[in-house]
Amino acid sequence: MAKAKMPSANDFFTKFVAMRDWKKRVQVPLRGSGIRRRLLLWGLSLFGIALTVVVVVGYFYTVRQIERSAADLQAELATVTADRIRNFVRRKIERFSDAADAASLYPLGSKEQRLLFGLLVKNDNSFSEAAIIDARGMEVVKVSDRKVFFPADLSDQSKSEKFTEAMKGTDYISRVHTSDRAQPYVTIAIPLWGAAQSIVGVAAAEADLSFLWEVIGKIQFGTAGNGYLVDENGNLIAHKDAALVLKQTSLRQVFGVQKFLQNPSRADSAPAKEGPGLSGRRVLTTYAPLPELGWAIVLEEPVDAALASVEILKRSALVLLAVSLLVGAAAIAWVSGEITGPIRDLHEGAKIIGRGNLDYRVDIKTGDEIEWLAEEFNKMAAELKVSYATLEQKVRDKTSELGNANQELEELNRNLLKANKAKDEFLSVMSHELRTPLNVVMGYTGMMKEGLLGSVNPEQSRALEKVIARSSDLLIMISQILQATSIEAGKVKVERQEFDLNHFLEGLKTNYELPMNKAVTVDWEYSAQPLTLKTDSGKLKHILQNLINNAIKFTEKGYVRVAAHHLPHAQRVQFEVADTGIGIHKEMLPSIFEIFHQIDSSETRSYGGVGLGLYIVKKYTELLGGTIEAQSEFGKGTTFTLEIPC
């Protein structure tokens, strides 16, 4: 192992000279005059300006990032809270609508209706009161979770807004009103439909929205952020301070509410904008509208709390600037002792670092103050790099938060898909279960009409015929729902087999040879030459029967023409079903194949149906690889053109 070398007298002398020269290089620029003093003054000036620019630019950039983060947070929180309120109100309306549909199956004022609405009020504390009003405007059923109503308590509602609006055939939701305990309520009213699509009454309920207190009370972000709910007139609906709601405070002059009232149906285009808040303090405010209800959720955070980190950053920047200037003064004093190459090297290194290359290090080996100054520059670059790395970490943290939010949205989407699947399964099961008892009803009704269960008079026979006809219509509707559910679930399969087109049309034609109860004739046009098709004959038959039945249904007099043509150049067969019926408005043609769409959806429509026939026709046509189009002129008739491959 090598022995350590002992320092010699020359080594001590060299160190002594170096220390003496270092002292001279520091003191001479401070005491002397001329070039070195000017160099010191210029160096200090330039260094101070450069450092100030870096600090100021970094400060304003960081402030902008903080303000942007605050805006993103407020916008996201406002949207999530608005969605929670929207979904809750929607679920309550749907539940009440289901109860009203069930009640419409029983006579007005019956015990069954009273029981159904009593169970609704008892099991769902969101409904404090529910009532059924007949077509004259008199209450026939009224239940509450707080008191028992007697016949004398039933009142005339014929002049009330909820009754008049619901009798027009539309669902009604009132403006928000509050009780003496500041609990928010809305009145819900929906029409009760009877036979032949007539309105026989109205179902109304008082929905308690006090859950909004809990939702609004939980809104807290930053150090002092909170929120509140207002209606379309700027009145306060919900706030963590119930006293403000009890006063029915108008907030039209509050900055965030003014933004909402200017654009009540659009999202906030300038979130976290500064203005006067609910308490009069300067706040950063954002709103999220609920257009279907006319409400808006407004978030506020005091400016001094939201931008507290900006004040800390400002003080830190000033301290950093002062310290850096002090260090710079000493560094320039060292640099002024040398005007040779090391100064230019150091200057060049400072420029490189100033341009943002924080990985660059000044490499000066002079053994004096210039080398120390180079080391200080290197340390400063490292500290700046650490500062930027911290800023990048904040960006990564925000990115991680956004990623978590996206995961939540994906989970919500999966839940929606599950709910949709459950809906399809429910419709499928209910359609199967409803067909069996309906077939029994039709069977016994037919036996009664034929006299197998006893003699019936002519009036009873006509009534039984109506029962059979209505039951048959209902069976068709149930079958259509089952078919639509199967299509939505992707369970419909195509079984292609070869068959003769003429034989197929002859079989279809026999179904329409019996005389009809209207002045309508069915004309058939097709070639007698044999033509073999390879497709699903059952689905093709369903398509044509649906189109022909619709044509007969909407034609009071005239004719229905069914034509078939072979298109050899396209290897397709074209079918046309034309009528001289009521026709379709041009603006309605693009949507007639949509699910649950009805050509006549008015309150006084003369034709029944659930709007699934043409939807099934469209889907079956696509399964067969074909196309279908409709042309119509209102009042003159409609023509459907179907093409399928051979």
Side-chain angles (χ1 to χ4, degrees), residues 474-518:
L474 183 57
L475 184 60
I476 292 174
M477 293 180 187
I478 294 173
S479 298
Q480 288 180 341
I481 293 175
L482 182 59
Q483 291 168 345
T485 303
S486 299
I487 291 173
E488 290 291 322
K491 297 180 179 180
V492 178
K493 305 297 181 183
V494 177
E495 298 179 359
R496 289 184 171 83
Q497 296 179 350
E498 292 186 352
F499 61 92
D500 182 69
L501 178 61
N502 289 338
H503 180 72
F504 171 81
L505 292 175
E506 287 293 334
L508 184 64
K509 180 178 179 181
T510 57
N511 296 333
Y512 301 95
E513 292 181 347
L514 296 176
M516 291 175 285
N517 296 328
K518 54 174 64 176

Side-chain angles (χ1 to χ4, degrees), residues 74-287:
Q74 285 197 8
E76 180 181 353
L77 183 59
T79 301
V80 171
T81 305
D83 288 341
R84 288 186 61 192
I85 296 174
R86 181 184 296 109
N87 292 335
F88 181 87
V89 175
R90 185 183 297 114
R91 288 196 301 270
K92 295 306 175 184
I93 294 175
E94 290 175 352
R95 181 165 186 178
F96 181 66
S97 179
D98 292 341
D101 290 342
S104 66
L105 301 176
Y106 302 98
L108 291 179
S110 63
K111 293 181 179 179
E112 290 83 359
Q113 289 185 338
R114 185 180 300 276
L115 176 61
L116 284 172
F117 273 35
L119 290 174
L120 174 67
V121 173
K122 179 179 179 181
N123 295 330
D124 192 338
N125 55 13
S126 297
F127 295 102
S128 60
E129 184 177 300
I132 294 180
I133 308 170
D134 63 18
R136 299 173 303 163
M138 291 297 300
E139 293 178 334
V140 296
V141 171
K142 193 172 185 179
V143 295
S144 173
D145 62 343
R146 293 189 292 267
K147 62 180 292 187
V148 177
F149 291 102
F150 296 97
D153 297 325
L154 303 180
S155 60
D156 184 1
Q157 299 291 328
S158 60
K159 303 299 183 181
S160 64
E161 185 177 6
K162 63 183 179 182
F163 174 76
T164 56
E165 291 298 323
M167 286 298 292
K168 297 177 182 179
T170 58
D171 295 343
Y172 167 78
I173 302 178
S174 72
R175 295 181 178 177
V176 177
H177 51 276
T178 57
S179 68
D180 55 359
R181 293 180 296 174
Q183 290 177 289
Y185 286 87
V186 293
T187 301
I188 302 173
I190 61 176
L192 294 177
W193 298 93
Q197 296 298 316
S198 61
I199 301 177
V200 299
V202 172
E206 293 292 323
D208 184 0
L209 302 181
S210 59
F211 84 100
L212 298 175
W213 291 351
E214 179 180 358
V215 175
I216 299 301
K218 290 182 178 179
I219 297 177
Q220 186 173 359
F221 57 96
T223 58
N226 58 62
Y228 50 88
L229 189 67
V230 297
D231 62 15
E232 69 274 12
N233 295 318
N235 297 320
L236 186 63
I237 299 175
H239 190 273
K240 64 180 181 181
D241 185 359
L244 292 177
V245 183
L246 183 59
K247 295 177 182 177
Q248 298 183 351
T249 308
S250 176
L251 306 181
R252 297 182 65 89
Q253 302 304 319
V254 177
F255 179 66
V257 179
Q258 288 180 347
K259 291 204 299 179
F260 159 65
L261 296 178
Q262 292 172 358
N263 294 287
S265 61
R266 297 182 180 179
D268 194 348
S269 59
K273 193 172 182 180
E274 184 176 345
L278 179 60
S279 62
R281 298 174 61 186
R282 301 293 293 180
V283 297
L284 299 181
T285 183
T286 302
Y287 75 88

Side-chain angles (χ1 to χ4, degrees), residues 492-556:
V492 178
K493 305 297 181 183
V494 177
E495 298 179 359
R496 289 184 171 83
Q497 296 179 350
E498 292 186 352
F499 61 92
D500 182 69
L501 178 61
N502 289 338
H503 180 72
F504 171 81
L505 292 175
E506 287 293 334
L508 184 64
K509 180 178 179 181
T510 57
N511 296 333
Y512 301 95
E513 292 181 347
L514 296 176
M516 291 175 285
N517 296 328
K518 54 174 64 176
V520 178
T521 60
V522 181
D523 300 331
W524 297 79
E525 297 180 8
Y526 55 90
S527 174
Q529 296 181 358
L531 177 63
T532 300
L533 296 184
K534 186 176 182 180
T535 188
D536 192 324
S537 60
K539 290 180 176 54
L540 178 59
K541 181 178 180 181
H542 181 92
I543 294 171
L544 293 176
Q545 281 183 333
N546 190 291
L547 295 177
I548 296 171
N549 292 340
N550 273 357
I552 296 174
K553 174 181 176 180
F554 292 103
T555 304
E556 295 299 327

Side-chain angles (χ1 to χ4, degrees), residues 563-581:
H565 306 285
H566 180 215
L567 306 177
H569 61 283
Q571 292 297 308
R572 300 170 78 86
V573 176
Q574 183 185 81
F575 299 90
E576 288 187 0
V577 179
D579 62 65
T580 58

Side-chain angles (χ1 to χ4, degrees), residues 422-432 481-482 485 596:
K423 179 264 295 181
D424 293 339
E425 293 177 354
F426 171 77
L427 289 176
S428 177
V429 171
M430 289 303 297
S431 299
H432 280 293
I481 293 175
L482 182 59
T485 303
F596 297 122

Side-chain angles (χ1 to χ4, degrees), residues 67-79:
E67 292 176 345
R68 185 174 299 174
S69 298
D72 293 342
L73 176 61
Q74 285 197 8
E76 180 181 353
L77 183 59
T79 301

